[in-house]
Amino acid sequence: MDALAREHLDHEWTPNEVVKVLPLTKKYTFELGCKLLLGVVDPEHIKRLADCFGPAVNGMLSVPIDFPGTNYNRAIKAGKTMREELIRIIRERRKEMMMENKEIEGRDLLSKMLLLTDEDVHSFSDLEIFINIFGLLVASFDTTSSTVTSIFWTVHSSHKNPKYFREPEKFDPSRFDESGPAPYTFVPFGGGPGMCPGKEYAKLEILVFMHNVVTRFKLEKTIPDEKIVYYTSAMPECGLPVRLQPHGK
């Protein structure tokens, strides 16, 4: 994961003076998911998957009106294409592993799932594997659980409440040491039964990525008061453009 983060920054960030953080991080998280979960490394293949994945995810919380031109309609079409493509990848990998006739260790999640069996020693079907892989891709890319939670509960009401977080506006990583915040006071991944299933994966992904960013660059927002808009999750209206200043320059 660390090597992939560094590779992404080398190609997408370092050559530029100003970058838009939101689209680049979305691109990075999807590429990372394809490589770690599916073993897909070809950039063109990843792009084809992304072209289907984006509309499918965007339609998840849309009004369920199946009419041409609506997000829901586009999501249905994109989801069908995504399912066909992922199942094709699954079947090709299954065939490859059967031909090799041996267990493949240390590969992606897909390969490991193909080796798993349930309690009755039945291997999982292509559709079952697709459902799990697609769910993890969504969880790693743009989780919706915190958005659903925020419909009923404004996140900032606890995240910036001095009762729970002393000096809430201050950057203080030590506040998360040991047991961390009290339950249901820090909810970027939702809470309770609706908590994001990809929470631990996302936390590791964020930690590795941010470590590589802050050790390379000093960041300056080009739109200091950029508006936050809400769709499937809170996001900066203009994609969070920042000016990069490499350390040591």
Side-chain angles (χ1 to χ4, degrees), residues 143-155:
T143 180
T144 59
S145 61
S146 60
T147 304
V148 174
T149 303
S150 68
I151 293 174
F152 305 99
W153 181 8
T154 302
V155 170

Side-chain angles (χ1 to χ4, degrees), residues 3 59 76 81 86 102 105 112 130 136 149 160 173 187 222 229 236:
I76 290 175
T81 303
L86 289 186
K102 62 180 180 180
E105 298 294 340
K112 294 184 181 299
F130 159 75
L136 287 170
T149 303
K160 294 194 175 184
V187 289
T222 63
V229 295

Side-chain angles (χ1 to χ4, degrees), residues 47-66:
K47 184 180 183 304
R48 290 198 303 272
L49 290 172
D51 289 342
C52 300
F53 185 78
V57 172
N58 288 339
M60 289 177 64
L61 294 181
S62 63
V63 178
I65 299 177
D66 188 8

Side-chain angles (χ1 to χ4, degrees), residues 70-83:
T70 63
N71 281 342
Y72 188 73
N73 178 264
R74 285 192 289 267
I76 290 175
K77 293 178 180 178
K80 181 176 183 293
T81 303
M82 188 77 180
R83 181 172 64 251

Side-chain angles (χ1 to χ4, degrees), residues 157-208:
S157 66
S158 62
H159 285 191
K160 294 194 175 184
N161 190 332
K163 177 181 177 181
Y164 306 118
F165 299 100
R166 185 169 58 88
E167 298 182 277
E169 298 289 344
K170 180 181 178 181
F171 177 69
D172 181 14
S174 66
R175 69 174 86 246
F176 297 98
D177 289 347
E178 298 178 358
S179 60
Y184 293 96
T185 59
F186 183 67
V187 289
F189 301 103
M195 184 171 289
C196 173
K199 181 184 72 168
E200 296 304 322
Y201 173 85
K203 286 168 64 176
L204 178 60
E205 185 177 34
I206 292 167
L207 179 64
V208 171

